[in-house]
Amino acid sequence: MTHSTANPADRVLRVGDHTFDSRLFVGTGKYPDLEVMKTALEASGTQCVTVAVRRLKLGVPEGKSLLDYIDRQRYVLLPNTAGCFTADDAVRTARLGREAGMSDLVKLEVLGDKDTLLPDPAGTLEAAATLVGEGFTVLCYTSDDPVVARRLEDLGVAAVMPAGAPIGSGQGILNPNNISIIIERATVPIIVDAGVGTASDVAVAMELGADGVLLNTGIALATEPVRMARAMRAACEAGRDAFLAGRIPKRRYASASSPTEGTIAFAGE
Amino acid sequence: MTHSTANPADRVLRVGDHTFDSRLFVGTGKYPDLEVMKTALEASGTQCVTVAVRRLKLGVPEGKSLLDYIDRQRYVLLPNTAGCFTADDAVRTARLGREAGMSDLVKLEVLGDKDTLLPDPAGTLEAAATLVGEGFTVLCYTSDDPVVARRLEDLGVAAVMPAGAPIGSGQGILNPNNISIIIERATVPIIVDAGVGTASDVAVAMELGADGVLLNTGIALATEPVRMARAMRAACEAGRDAFLAGRIPKRRYASASSPTEGTIAFAGE
Amino acid sequence: MTHSTANPADRVLRVGDHTFDSRLFVGTGKYPDLEVMKTALEASGTQCVTVAVRRLKLGVPEGKSLLDYIDRQRYVLLPNTAGCFTADDAVRTARLGREAGMSDLVKLEVLGDKDTLLPDPAGTLEAAATLVGEGFTVLCYTSDDPVVARRLEDLGVAAVMPAGAPIGSGQGILNPNNISIIIERATVPIIVDAGVGTASDVAVAMELGADGVLLNTGIALATEPVRMARAMRAACEAGRDAFLAGRIPKRRYASASSPTEGTIAFAGE
Amino acid sequence: MTHSTANPADRVLRVGDHTFDSRLFVGTGKYPDLEVMKTALEASGTQCVTVAVRRLKLGVPEGKSLLDYIDRQRYVLLPNTAGCFTADDAVRTARLGREAGMSDLVKLEVLGDKDTLLPDPAGTLEAAATLVGEGFTVLCYTSDDPVVARRLEDLGVAAVMPAGAPIGSGQGILNPNNISIIIERATVPIIVDAGVGTASDVAVAMELGADGVLLNTGIALATEPVRMARAMRAACEAGRDAFLAGRIPKRRYASASSPTEGTIAFAGE
Amino acid sequence: MTLTVNGEATTVPTPSNVEDLLRRLRIDARQVAVERNRTLVRKTDYAATLLVAGDVLEIVSFVGGG
Amino acid sequence: MTLTVNGEATTVPTPSNVEDLLRRLRIDARQVAVERNRTLVRKTDYAATLLVAGDVLEIVSFVGGG
Amino acid sequence: MTLTVNGEATTVPTPSNVEDLLRRLRIDARQVAVERNRTLVRKTDYAATLLVAGDVLEIVSFVGGG
Amino acid sequence: MTLTVNGEATTVPTPSNVEDLLRRLRIDARQVAVERNRTLVRKTDYAATLLVAGDVLEIVSFVGGG
């Protein structure tokens, strides 16, 4: 049995013109080395990997570079604007990323400050408007604020990516109420981005009805990144399936799983 | 890639003389029909299924019975003592189950009352002592009380099965602190039993370090039991892998996943 | 012993030019009737009450109005801009409120949509800048986003009022991590506004270090509003005292409160 | 306004033949010194204090002792059996406590092990039966297991005291579902004992409907014990009042507290 | 002349100022605030503020709110 | 003679053993277990276990449970 | 004769009763309780309770606890 | 002439275009992107884009990020 036949009824995820069978988006930062990253990406089953845009180091003889470890037949590149704190910087970085990657996808981040790395709403909205206007397929990192999420959808982003918790914090989904409000009102895919610490965090996000999850540190800095990548893949499939399967309601008291009738005659009966 | 090669480093789970590759234990009650149950059990990947012991209905022409839907080459039978409220009733039921199933395994339940279906500690300890003495391999349902768990281990049970929440309640792991204290001090496998509502509950239990999870209602009463069975399987593997992989610590503030140096010159620089 | 002498070491709360002994801010909407409101306000101990600005009903003989039930020697009026969805509407409403109440205080709300009543960050920032420029003492309702909170402080608001949960939802503090990040970085008072359902929610907010709590529905729609008002008052004092008193750290295992030595000789010793 | 008139409708708490206006029970261990303890007990408003029974140190000239700091006109003594790990040891200790204190009250603890200090159910039940038979008014420490709670009630204890979390752990109420099931089915007062770390924990316990809370370490080891004692008192009153006042239900979305009609004409209207 | 007051067409004599309008509507000026054509009218300017046909007036007071 | 089988009065010829009872009730012995007067009867003892008037028999099999 | 008092060997004259023992140890009887060989001695029985060589006594009082 | 490339002063012959610059710096043009004075230079425009003294160039590539 393979997983593709195990999930016969699920539809592919569409983001702009791209379609994905895997709903996991994985970053390429912070791995012990690029070989581990390559194996972890494979284990994760992802079809889309984020990359950062940074100055080439001049005068340094070029060794192997990141892209030598990323099979572009297998993975779609998703350049990010990480490290940008203004709309203008993010737009410039996005343009460079598109030119370098020959891809229209961009993970837009306009950050508010260095302590929280949470997005700046005003800058994010401004940059999103510009990039949508320039034809980018914008996957937009944002807080878990349902109002900002809606504004971004109105601007035409291809996917809204609310933070579950601060980047790299590993705290999981801090405010499931907000995330599920965003999902319930969404007109584009919602991909939970940032904050995932372990597999159950991914499952929880998908069970809320998220269309996908993006993560990086949770895999890259785990003691065993490859095993954790496998865990994240399975958790993403588990959470998606559980969402589609329709879970039982919660009850405060018990409900027997074995028949309550037909027991043998008990002492005293 | 198959899941068995994807988990090369995990060891099998030993419970008494039995070994299991799958760490999911699945009940056979409450499915829409026995065909759905059969398919769901396959999808779950389980190798051990619980069954209840009940009076045969006399004078009713025998149609197909439960065991016609359970391939005993594939699944080990785990008769339970569900519905018993005294040690004596549970012991008698366990003996009948062993004789009917020709298996030394028993899931011991001595319940305290019908509202909570939570175990009666005194009755459970008494019945466990008797059954261990009679050579049963006792998998013992109990509350999440670490003291009772230890007493059961001292009596020689093969596995301790603390409740995450009341049977059938779907509330998940209500007290992770207690469950992890039980796990940290355990000398036998700890299998979280009861309370699982959805896939992430299974992942959470396994991430706490549980050796396995037993569930029934969460699959059987889901809108799509077969899909939920698949979800539970994946969640169990995800949680186990995440536990073994060593998750990142939680932080309150952010930690960048992309390099903080090497950005292009920003406005104002 | 009275409560005022019981808190000798606490400082008064300063918001703009105003000082308050009570850290509870209470709304005047939704009470069964104005007599109940009056008694509840007294029981709450508040010194500052919010009021809404609405069209006078023309042609209706004036009976007793809201202000007939509010002793302005005892309570500072805090007109709000509830119901406004643009910066311009909020600014106009704030100006009307100032003129009607002869108070420079305004609770600024610029809402994003009618389902969530969560604030619109862009509109809120715009209106805050305008009103600060016009000399208002702005207490600004906002989401729990630490970045927006900081932007508002930079604009010169007198207090930031992050939502614990959607207005009237009674869910308490959904994201304590965000609220405490806001508090840790604050340069003005942080007053948790919206979402409070019961007394412990107030205590939790104050224990996080909030400078105050604003609530309305939790009191007004309780079965017994006056008793709930008393509860909120006590919870506010309790949470504030607990914050100042320095709580014990959390431990996973136990630590005896009675001496572990000096017990009598036990059986077997 | 005093608190006694502020809570006109509340009834006194009856435990055996004793009645209490205050629902807080406070331990006397671990304070920086006995003067601080004395002041903290006063600030807490408690009318019942727990004490431990320990060997007198022989040959040491007697200085001031614990009882010199406890006004027995004001406080009822509640001797405990802390440190006992068998029913027999607890019974002997209880008898000594009664003789020393000339009080029929006993806080029964029969502990399971030194790491968790959680109660041993079998030993607790055995000792409770004996002490009830000897005429003690037994306030019985137990886990949060609803089945054991019911067994203790059946034996005739005067109050059941479930642990919110391990003694001294400061984790609060780890399993509110269990505590509220115990409360809903109770025929005697339920006093949450152990685990309280800060004021909101007390409020939460009372809001669940507990009849009282017993705590020690949360006050004694706070940075400022006297202030924390005041906080605990206020939180107990707050939680009790909130429970009686009937809180609003939780909603996922918002509900306006200001009128949604009657706003001024907005831009675009 | 006809004005819009709180969304409703209202006829008043010409000339009228804000003070006249309030008196005509039997409104106690102390507890209200008035806006004319989206601009606040200070209480001290009521008498001096002449109304013009087509003016849009908002007259507000405080009601319970949170 | 009359026995109680699974809570119901049941008449069987005298003498009868457990094997006879199961055959009479058309029960496939392989999938059941039998208890007589609260004591288990091993499958190997069915033929040797003579029933006595007033015996209380429980005949059980597996059903779905969790 | 030698007794064990609170775990320590203690020599007292023969005969001694519990009251004698407390006086000898300069213990105020009002705030303590006494157990002899795992059985409580009521305060009213102190004088009547003669000690025997080898007796194990526990003399306790209250200390801070939770 | 002197340019600023990735924040560092860099001297190149006059005239030079972007293609010349990359070749001189031994940079494989396929994996980079170039910005001149805060405006992107498309790969197809490298040869046609003449550099001017004082130009600020950014030459970037992809690195690991999340």
Side-chain angles (χ1 to χ4, degrees):
Chain A
M1 187 188 74
T2 67
H3 270 283
S4 57
T5 63
N7 294 316
D10 201 4
R11 60 182 191 280
V12 297
L13 171 62
R14 294 183 187 281
V15 180
D17 294 336
H18 300 263
T19 60
F20 301 102
D21 293 311
S22 166
R23 289 165 179 275
L24 208 58
F25 296 73
V26 181
T28 57
K30 296 173 123 178
Y31 292 84
D33 61 48
L34 290 171
E35 282 292 349
V36 170
M37 179 198 79
K38 183 169 187 287
T39 313
L41 292 180
E42 287 167 14
S44 77
T46 187
Q47 295 169 324
C48 183
V49 300
T50 53
V51 293
V53 173
R54 289 293 178 273
R55 283 173 170 172
L56 205 67
K57 284 181 186 148
L58 305 181
V60 179
E62 287 187 80
K64 284 198 164 183
S65 76
L66 178 70
L67 291 190
D68 295 323
Y69 291 84
I70 296 176
D71 176 358
R72 298 194 56 185
Q73 298 304 308
R74 179 165 186 167
Y75 306 109
V76 173
L77 286 190
L78 175 58
N80 70 27
T81 65
C84 293
F85 291 84
T86 70
D88 186 55
D89 295 334
V91 167
R92 286 168 56 209
T93 300
R95 289 172 185 151
L96 284 164
R98 176 160 66 175
E99 190 67 15
M102 308 307 278
S103 155
D104 62 313
L105 290 169
V106 64
K107 176 184 166 189
L108 175 62
E109 303 181 33
V110 182
L111 302 178
D113 58 65
K114 299 193 179 190
D115 294 334
T116 66
L117 299 181
L118 288 168
D120 180 73
T124 300
L125 289 163
E126 180 188 343
T130 301
L131 293 175
V132 168
E134 295 186 8
F136 281 86
T137 298
V138 179
L139 290 78
C140 192
Y141 176 59
T142 180
S143 73
D144 62 9
D145 181 340
V147 172
V148 178
R150 174 153 286 187
R151 296 282 177 277
L152 290 168
E153 294 181 35
D154 293 345
L155 289 176
V157 302
V160 170
M161 305 209 294
I167 293 173
S169 70
Q171 294 195 97
I173 309 296
L174 289 176
N175 191 337
N177 196 59
N178 267 6
I179 297 288
S180 64
I181 287 174
I182 291 173
I183 290 169
E184 287 165 10
R185 312 197 308 173
T187 56
V188 300
I190 304 302
I191 299 169
V192 171
D193 180 3
V196 164
T198 187
S200 57
D201 297 337
V202 174
V204 166
M206 296 304 291
E207 285 167 358
L208 291 173
D211 296 283
V213 172
L214 192 157
L215 58 86
N216 184 339
T217 306
I219 291 176
L221 293 189
T223 310
E224 296 184 43
V226 175
R227 190 191 288 274
M228 189 58 93
R230 277 200 305 260
M232 296 300 190
R233 174 194 189 149
C236 187
E237 293 169 355
R240 176 68 181 169
D241 256 341
F243 170 70
L244 295 172
R247 63 157 290 159
I248 56 171
K250 293 188 185 186
R251 308 159 49 102
R252 291 192 47 243
Y253 283 83
S255 170
S257 52
S258 300
T260 54
E261 310 221 320
T263 54
I264 56 174
F266 287 158
E269 292 183 30
Chain B
M1 190 187 72
T2 68
H3 271 284
S4 57
T5 64
N7 294 316
D10 200 4
R11 61 182 191 281
V12 297
L13 171 61
R14 293 184 187 281
V15 179
D17 294 336
H18 300 263
T19 60
F20 301 102
D21 294 311
S22 166
R23 288 164 179 276
L24 209 57
F25 296 73
V26 181
T28 57
K30 296 173 122 176
Y31 292 84
D33 61 50
L34 290 171
E35 282 292 348
V36 170
M37 179 199 78
K38 184 170 186 287
T39 313
L41 292 180
E42 287 167 15
S44 77
T46 188
Q47 295 168 323
C48 183
V49 300
T50 53
V51 292
V53 174
R54 290 292 179 274
R55 283 174 170 171
L56 205 66
K57 284 182 188 149
L58 304 181
V60 179
E62 287 187 79
K64 283 199 165 184
S65 76
L66 177 70
L67 291 190
D68 294 323
Y69 292 82
I70 296 177
D71 176 358
R72 297 194 56 185
Q73 299 303 310
R74 181 167 185 165
Y75 306 110
V76 173
L77 287 191
L78 175 57
N80 69 26
T81 64
C84 294
F85 291 84
T86 69
D88 187 54
D89 295 334
V91 166
R92 285 168 56 208
T93 301
R95 288 172 185 152
L96 285 164
R98 175 160 67 175
E99 190 67 14
M102 309 307 278
S103 155
D104 62 312
L105 291 169
V106 63
K107 176 184 167 190
L108 175 62
E109 303 181 33
V110 182
L111 303 177
D113 58 64
K114 298 193 180 191
D115 294 334
T116 66
L117 299 182
L118 287 169
D120 180 72
T124 300
L125 288 163
E126 180 188 343
T130 301
L131 293 175
V132 168
E134 295 185 9
F136 282 86
T137 297
V138 179
L139 290 80
C140 192
Y141 176 58
T142 180
S143 73
D144 62 9
D145 181 340
V147 171
V148 178
R150 174 154 285 188
R151 296 282 176 277
L152 290 169
E153 294 182 35
D154 293 345
L155 289 177
V157 303
V160 170
M161 306 209 294
I167 293 174
S169 71
Q171 294 195 94
I173 309 295
L174 289 177
N175 190 338
N177 196 58
N178 268 6
I179 297 288
S180 64
I181 286 175
I182 291 173
I183 290 168
E184 287 165 10
R185 312 197 307 174
T187 56
V188 300
I190 304 301
I191 299 169
V192 171
D193 180 4
V196 164
T198 186
S200 57
D201 297 336
V202 174
V204 166
M206 296 305 291
E207 286 168 359
L208 291 173
D211 296 283
V213 171
L214 192 157
L215 57 86
N216 185 340
T217 306
I219 291 176
L221 293 190
T223 310
E224 296 184 42
V226 175
R227 190 190 288 273
M228 189 57 93
R230 277 200 304 262
M232 297 300 190
R233 174 194 189 148
C236 188
E237 293 168 357
R240 176 68 181 170
D241 256 342
F243 171 69
L244 295 172
R247 64 158 289 160
I248 56 171
K250 292 187 184 185
R251 308 159 49 100
R252 291 192 48 241
Y253 281 84
S255 170
S257 53
S258 300
T260 53
E261 310 222 319
T263 54
I264 57 174
F266 287 158
E269 295 184 26
Chain C
M1 189 187 72
T2 69
H3 271 283
S4 58
T5 64
N7 295 315
D10 200 5
R11 60 181 192 281
V12 298
L13 171 63
R14 295 184 186 280
V15 179
D17 294 334
H18 301 264
T19 61
F20 302 103
D21 294 312
S22 165
R23 289 165 178 275
L24 208 58
F25 297 74
V26 181
T28 58
K30 296 173 123 174
Y31 292 83
D33 61 49
L34 289 171
E35 282 293 348
V36 171
M37 180 200 77
K38 184 170 187 289
T39 314
L41 292 180
E42 286 167 16
S44 78
T46 187
Q47 296 169 324
C48 184
V49 301
T50 54
V51 292
V53 174
R54 290 290 179 275
R55 284 174 169 171
L56 205 66
K57 285 182 186 149
L58 304 181
V60 179
E62 286 187 80
K64 284 199 165 183
S65 75
L66 178 70
L67 291 189
D68 295 323
Y69 292 85
I70 296 177
D71 176 358
R72 297 194 56 185
Q73 299 304 309
R74 180 167 185 164
Y75 307 110
V76 173
L77 286 191
L78 175 58
N80 68 28
T81 65
C84 294
F85 291 84
T86 70
D88 187 54
D89 295 333
V91 167
R92 286 168 55 209
T93 301
R95 289 173 185 150
L96 285 163
R98 176 159 67 174
E99 191 66 15
M102 308 308 277
S103 155
D104 62 312
L105 289 169
V106 63
K107 176 184 166 188
L108 175 62
E109 302 181 34
V110 182
L111 303 177
D113 59 66
K114 299 192 179 191
D115 294 333
T116 67
L117 299 181
L118 288 168
D120 180 72
T124 300
L125 289 162
E126 181 188 343
T130 301
L131 293 174
V132 168
E134 295 186 7
F136 281 86
T137 297
V138 180
L139 290 79
C140 191
Y141 175 59
T142 180
S143 73
D144 63 8
D145 181 339
V147 171
V148 177
R150 174 154 284 188
R151 296 282 176 277
L152 290 168
E153 294 180 36
D154 293 344
L155 289 176
V157 302
V160 171
M161 305 209 294
I167 293 173
S169 70
Q171 294 194 94
I173 310 295
L174 289 177
N175 191 339
N177 195 59
N178 267 7
I179 296 289
S180 66
I181 285 174
I182 290 173
I183 290 168
E184 286 165 10
R185 313 197 307 174
T187 56
V188 301
I190 304 301
I191 299 169
V192 171
D193 178 5
V196 164
T198 186
S200 57
D201 297 337
V202 174
V204 165
M206 296 304 291
E207 285 168 358
L208 291 173
D211 296 283
V213 171
L214 192 158
L215 58 87
N216 185 338
T217 306
I219 290 176
L221 292 189
T223 310
E224 296 183 44
V226 176
R227 190 191 288 274
M228 189 57 94
R230 277 200 304 263
M232 296 301 191
R233 174 195 189 148
C236 188
E237 293 169 356
R240 176 67 180 170
D241 256 342
F243 171 69
L244 294 172
R247 63 159 289 161
I248 56 171
K250 293 188 185 184
R251 309 160 47 102
R252 292 192 48 241
Y253 282 84
S255 170
S257 52
S258 299
T260 54
E261 309 223 320
T263 54
I264 56 174
F266 286 157
E269 294 184 25
Chain D
M1 187 186 76
T2 68
H3 270 283
S4 57
T5 63
N7 295 315
D10 201 4
R11 60 183 192 279
V12 297
L13 171 62
R14 295 183 186 281
V15 179
D17 294 335
H18 301 264
T19 59
F20 301 102
D21 294 311
S22 166
R23 289 166 178 274
L24 208 58
F25 296 73
V26 181
T28 58
K30 296 174 122 174
Y31 291 84
D33 61 49
L34 290 171
E35 281 293 349
V36 171
M37 180 198 78
K38 183 169 186 288
T39 314
L41 292 180
E42 287 167 16
S44 77
T46 187
Q47 296 169 324
C48 184
V49 300
T50 54
V51 293
V53 173
R54 289 291 180 274
R55 283 174 169 172
L56 204 66
K57 284 179 188 152
L58 304 182
V60 178
E62 287 188 78
K64 283 199 164 182
S65 75
L66 178 70
L67 291 190
D68 295 323
Y69 291 84
I70 297 176
D71 176 357
R72 297 194 55 184
Q73 299 304 309
R74 180 166 186 166
Y75 306 110
V76 172
L77 286 191
L78 176 57
N80 70 27
T81 65
C84 294
F85 291 84
T86 69
D88 186 54
D89 295 334
V91 167
R92 287 168 54 210
T93 300
R95 289 173 185 151
L96 285 163
R98 175 159 66 174
E99 190 66 15
M102 308 309 277
S103 155
D104 63 312
L105 290 169
V106 64
K107 176 185 166 189
L108 175 62
E109 304 182 30
V110 182
L111 303 177
D113 58 66
K114 299 193 178 189
D115 294 333
T116 66
L117 299 181
L118 288 168
D120 180 71
T124 300
L125 290 162
E126 181 189 343
T130 300
L131 294 174
V132 168
E134 296 186 7
F136 281 86
T137 297
V138 179
L139 291 78
C140 192
Y141 175 59
T142 181
S143 73
D144 62 9
D145 181 341
V147 172
V148 178
R150 173 152 286 187
R151 296 283 177 275
L152 290 168
E153 294 181 36
D154 293 344
L155 289 176
V157 302
V160 170
M161 305 210 293
I167 293 173
S169 71
Q171 294 195 94
I173 309 296
L174 289 176
N175 190 339
N177 195 60
N178 268 6
I179 297 289
S180 66
I181 286 175
I182 290 174
I183 290 168
E184 287 165 10
R185 312 197 307 173
T187 56
V188 300
I190 304 301
I191 299 169
V192 171
D193 178 5
V196 164
T198 186
S200 58
D201 297 337
V202 174
V204 166
M206 296 306 291
E207 286 167 358
L208 291 174
D211 296 283
V213 171
L214 192 159
L215 58 87
N216 185 339
T217 306
I219 291 175
L221 293 190
T223 310
E224 296 183 43
V226 176
R227 190 191 289 274
M228 189 57 93
R230 277 200 305 261
M232 296 300 190
R233 174 195 189 149
C236 187
E237 293 168 356
R240 177 67 180 170
D241 256 341
F243 170 70
L244 294 172
R247 63 158 291 161
I248 57 171
K250 294 188 184 185
R251 308 160 46 102
R252 291 191 49 241
Y253 282 83
S255 169
S257 53
S258 300
T260 54
E261 309 221 322
T263 54
I264 56 175
F266 287 157
E269 294 183 27
Chain E
M1 62 184 162
T2 301
L3 315 169
T4 301
V5 181
N6 286 1
E8 296 173 22
T10 304
T11 305
V12 296
T14 308
S16 288
N17 59 33
V18 171
E19 192 173 293
D20 299 330
L21 175 67
L22 292 177
R23 191 179 316 114
R24 183 181 180 84
L25 293 171
R26 301 172 188 273
I27 292 171
D28 179 349
R30 286 170 304 176
Q31 295 201 353
V32 304
V34 178
E35 189 193 60
R36 173 170 169 258
N37 300 333
R38 300 182 185 264
T39 301
L40 183 75
V41 184
R42 304 295 307 264
K43 282 182 200 292
T44 49
D45 297 336
Y46 285 174
T49 303
L50 276 181
L51 298 172
V52 177
D55 273 357
V56 178
L57 280 295
E58 297 283 353
I59 306 173
V60 303
S61 66
F62 290 136
V63 300
Chain F
M1 63 183 165
T2 301
L3 315 170
T4 300
V5 181
N6 287 0
E8 297 173 23
T10 304
T11 305
V12 296
T14 306
S16 286
N17 59 33
V18 171
E19 192 172 295
D20 298 332
L21 175 67
L22 293 178
R23 193 178 314 115
R24 184 180 178 85
L25 293 171
R26 298 172 189 276
I27 293 170
D28 178 350
R30 287 170 302 177
Q31 294 202 355
V32 303
V34 178
E35 189 195 60
R36 174 168 169 257
N37 300 333
R38 298 182 186 265
T39 301
L40 182 76
V41 184
R42 304 294 307 266
K43 283 183 201 289
T44 49
D45 297 337
Y46 285 173
T49 302
L50 277 181
L51 297 172
V52 176
D55 273 357
V56 177
L57 279 295
E58 296 283 354
I59 307 174
V60 303
S61 67
F62 289 136
V63 300
Chain G
M1 62 184 164
T2 302
L3 314 169
T4 300
V5 180
N6 286 3
E8 296 174 22
T10 305
T11 304
V12 297
T14 308
S16 287
N17 60 31
V18 171
E19 192 173 295
D20 298 331
L21 175 67
L22 292 178
R23 192 179 316 113
R24 183 180 179 84
L25 293 172
R26 300 171 188 273
I27 293 171
D28 178 350
R30 286 170 304 177
Q31 294 201 355
V32 303
V34 178
E35 188 195 61
R36 175 170 169 257
N37 299 333
R38 299 180 186 265
T39 301
L40 183 76
V41 184
R42 304 295 306 265
K43 283 183 201 290
T44 49
D45 297 336
Y46 285 172
T49 302
L50 277 181
L51 298 172
V52 177
D55 272 359
V56 177
L57 281 294
E58 297 283 352
I59 307 173
V60 302
S61 67
F62 289 136
V63 300
Chain H
M1 62 183 166
T2 300
L3 315 169
T4 300
V5 180
N6 286 2
E8 297 173 22
T10 304
T11 305
V12 297
T14 307
S16 287
N17 60 33
V18 171
E19 191 173 296
D20 298 332
L21 175 68
L22 292 177
R23 193 179 314 113
R24 184 180 179 84
L25 292 171
R26 299 171 189 275
I27 292 170
D28 178 350
R30 287 169 303 177
Q31 296 201 353
V32 303
V34 178
E35 188 194 62
R36 174 170 169 257
N37 301 331
R38 299 181 186 265
T39 301
L40 183 76
V41 184
R42 303 294 308 263
K43 283 183 201 290
T44 49
D45 298 336
Y46 285 174
T49 302
L50 276 181
L51 298 172
V52 177
D55 273 358
V56 177
L57 280 294
E58 297 283 353
I59 307 174
V60 303
S61 67
F62 290 136
V63 299

